[in-house]
Amino acid sequence: MRPRARRLLLLTAVALGCPQTPAPATGGAPHRVGYGTVMADIGRRFEQLGRAAIAGRYELAEYHLGEIDEQFEEALAHADPPHEGHPEVLPAMTTAFLQGGVPELRKAIASRDRAAVEAAFARTAAGCNECHAASGHGFIEISREAGRVVPNLDPL
């Protein structure tokens, strides 16, 4: 690939990958992303974290965990909460995840011990499912097995 084409491709990728807050409508508030949109990205990253870890790609797993942590810390704090279910449980459960699930996964991934990562992944997925059930979204099931599709789409 030519250097100019490579630069253009890189600039395009950066531009498309950078989140942008849309300008507010005349006199209106800026658009806020929905909670479900942020959670869908977290789910995608959780799936990739699990797949990377079982493949022994621990640096990639650490990267996805860092992105998940950022989404919880930054994006969810500013997202519109769901209009259905029980959104009042979300702040406490988010705090529990950040204080329990993230550090446990981080420690397991740092150990480079596949069994420890799989166990931490399973406990974290169980916490995800508890939050989904408590918030009225129990139909969004996360497999406790690392490497599986998130959310679980297996037939009932």
Side-chain angles (χ1 to χ4, degrees):
M1 182 179 289
R2 292 183 179 173
R4 183 170 183 213
R6 188 176 301 135
R7 280 194 304 271
L8 180 60
L9 181 61
L10 178 61
L11 287 173
T12 302
V14 169
L16 291 174
C18 293
Q20 299 176 4
T21 303
T26 312
H31 171 75
R32 288 175 40 152
V33 68
Y35 212 88
T37 300
V38 177
M39 290 305 298
D41 184 59
I42 289 169
R44 180 181 61 83
R45 289 187 181 281
F46 191 66
E47 175 185 339
Q48 291 176 348
L49 179 157
R51 294 177 71 189
I54 62 173
R57 302 208 39 206
Y58 296 110
E59 287 181 24
L60 182 58
E62 287 171 339
Y63 168 77
H64 284 297
L65 182 58
E67 293 297 310
I68 290 169
D69 191 18
E70 283 181 22
Q71 290 285 49
F72 269 89
E73 292 276 0
E74 299 168 14
L76 283 180
H78 303 290
D80 281 332
H83 301 290
E84 67 283 327
H86 303 285
E88 68 276 4
V89 304
L90 296 172
M93 298 197 92
T94 295
T95 299
F97 176 77
L98 289 171
Q99 293 175 352
V102 170
E104 181 182 5
L105 274 170
R106 186 167 282 123
K107 181 179 177 183
I109 293 168
S111 76
R112 305 301 200 248
D113 178 347
R114 181 175 170 166
V117 173
E118 288 177 344
F121 186 95
R123 284 188 293 274
T124 302
C128 295
N129 292 327
E130 290 169 10
C131 183
H132 295 166
S135 68
H137 296 86
F139 56 90
I140 303 173
E141 180 188 351
I142 309 303
S143 174
R144 293 174 51 120
E145 184 181 339
R148 299 289 308 273
V149 172
V150 173
N152 183 2
L153 298 175
D154 291 343
L156 295 175

